[in-house]
Amino acid sequence: GRVQNERNDLGGESRRARTAMSSLPANIDESMFKDIIADASRYVKYASAAYGVSMIDSADLLQVYGKKVVVIPIIPAASEKARKKKVARYVNVQPDDIVSSSKPGGSMDILGHFVTVDKKKNRVGGGDNGAVVLAIRGTYTLSGLKVDASAYSQEFCEGYAHTGIALRTEALWNHVKDIIVTKLLENPGFDLVITGHSLGAGASALLALKLKYEDALMKENELLKDVKVRSFAFAPPPVYFQTHPNEKLTAAMKDTYPFIHEEDCVPFCSADAIRKMADTMSIVDKMPKGFGLFSPLMASGLRPVSDEIKEAIYDDRELPPAPGTHKLAIPAPFVMWMRHASDDRVGRPMYNTMFCRTKAKGNAVGTNDLNIQMSSDMISDHMNPMYERAIMSVREQMLKKQDGFVFPPHPEEEFN
């Protein structure tokens, strides 16, 4: 981790800068980005609420909105009505607008979730109507860990997807399909927004891809053929590998908006990346490191790490193919990677965003080319309340007529 951090301190060698685009993504202008962030600040709260009232309390305690809050926790035995009321207040809907939800404990087969009819207008797309929202919970139970661990890939939408998440995505859609179709028919013109964090973000991105690529809503009812399907994915793992150019697949990924916060490790955790990390550890372990206490002194920072070891850690090597270890990526045209850039006058962290490639383009690397960053913050940076804080920071800056996004300082270095 220390050697990886040294590399990231070398300006253009920053992980974010190495994958960053040097201009706005195709079909995205400053106004569109402002709309994406406005909607993301709304749906990131859904992603937190999908975990239940304890995550809502955590987000409140972070003072996400820069104001002092008083948290009144709900005791574990609280009624379903009380929990529903707190979730509704947090996502700014009426309790009756939450039309379906999984039980707090969840199940081994169906990802935790809730479905809401949100009548507030979406900014993206400039529509006049609201959305039926499916919020999917991330890893929270042993069953969620089991899904995460099933990281090998299987066929999905003429490509390959993370097996555990793909299977749970299919099961979830079969479980919620009827209520979602019913609510979309009852609310003509509404979008379908799918959102989630971590495991829930991966499922959100895969489900949006599936529904659009397979024309699933139209097949359920011809009246739903024009429903806009969007995904807001916070901390998504790499879940999809596209085997060949396909215009319909590319179009199906268009309205998925993924976010990465700081050194969160999950957006880089694929079976391919884990194999690379294990290979690097094996190579380094076989290298000469001196005698006696030299190796532990090097590990503790009391001795310099040799250039040979640094080069082995820096090397973004490709490994020979292995069954089920496709080089999965986040299924979206770009990902918005947020970093703490400064503090405001009252000490709140201010973040900016870079638009980054999710996979390589020519000689330019994508986020799925990066190794897993070993960092003391790799887990804390993954927590959804941290995503809330970062997105709200970007939005606040944009409301003050600031850009909220930056480009790499040396664009030519994006090809390193």
Side-chain angles (χ1 to χ4, degrees), residues 396-408:
E396 183 173 325
Q397 293 172 69
M398 299 189 78
L399 290 173
K400 294 177 180 177
K401 309 301 182 183
Q402 299 171 21
D403 288 336
F405 60 86
V406 295
F407 297 115

Side-chain angles (χ1 to χ4, degrees), residues 231-253:
S231 167
F232 287 83
F234 307 100
V239 291
Y240 185 72
F241 176 78
Q242 184 173 342
T243 56
H244 57 277
N246 182 316
E247 289 185 9
K248 189 174 182 181
L249 266 176
T250 300
M253 297 181 195

Side-chain angles (χ1 to χ4, degrees), residues 266-404:
V266 169
F268 310 97
C269 286
S270 65
D272 178 69
I274 292 170
R275 287 180 69 223
K276 287 180 181 177
M277 182 173 66
D279 184 64
T280 299
M281 293 170 67
S282 177
I283 291 172
V284 170
D285 189 55
K286 294 174 183 176
M287 286 182 172
K289 307 174 190 67
F291 300 98
L293 294 175
F294 196 87
S295 183
L297 288 173
M298 188 187 299
S300 65
L302 297 176
R303 285 274 191 175
V305 178
S306 70
D307 290 340
E308 185 182 14
I309 291 177
K310 286 183 178 180
E311 288 176 9
I313 294 173
Y314 288 173
D315 185 15
D316 293 325
R317 68 183 67 80
E318 294 294 333
L319 299 180
T325 60
H326 297 87
K327 194 171 184 177
L328 303 180
I330 299 167
F334 59 89
V335 60
M336 290 161 276
W337 194 336
M338 304 176 292
R339 279 203 187 283
H340 176 199
S342 62
D343 293 330
D344 67 7
R345 64 178 182 275
V346 295
R348 292 182 305 162
M350 293 285 103
Y351 291 77
N352 62 34
T353 302
M354 277 189 184
F355 300 97
C356 297
R357 293 174 295 275
T358 58
K359 56 185 178 181
K361 184 176 182 181
N363 293 326
V365 299
T367 55
N368 74 330
D369 292 303
L370 299 180
N371 294 327
I372 298 170
Q373 171 74 24
M374 305 304 292
S375 162
S376 59
D377 298 322
M378 60 191 286
I379 302 301
S380 59
D381 283 344
H382 177 62
M383 298 297 103
N384 202 57
M386 306 297 281
Y387 277 79
E388 285 198 47
R389 182 170 68 173
I391 289 168
M392 290 307 301
S393 165
V394 174
R395 187 186 184 203
E396 183 173 325
Q397 293 172 69
M398 299 189 78
L399 290 173
K400 294 177 180 177
K401 309 301 182 183
Q402 299 171 21
D403 288 336

Side-chain angles (χ1 to χ4, degrees), residues 150-216:
S150 303
Y152 289 95
S153 44
Q154 68 169 39
E155 292 184 2
F156 186 91
C157 287
E158 294 195 34
Y160 291 88
H162 182 296
T163 294
I165 298 178
L167 290 174
R168 294 308 186 277
T169 298
E170 297 273 10
L172 177 62
W173 174 240
N174 289 332
H175 184 76
V176 301
K177 175 170 56 179
D178 289 346
I179 187 66
I180 286 177
V181 167
T182 296
K183 293 304 171 183
L184 286 171
L185 290 172
E186 290 176 357
N187 296 276
F190 274 36
D191 297 338
L192 173 59
V193 172
I194 312 168
T195 188
H197 167 258
S198 190
L199 164 60
S204 165
L206 282 183
L207 183 53
L209 176 66
K210 170 187 170 64
L211 296 186
K212 289 185 281 186
Y213 186 69
E214 297 180 355
D215 298 315

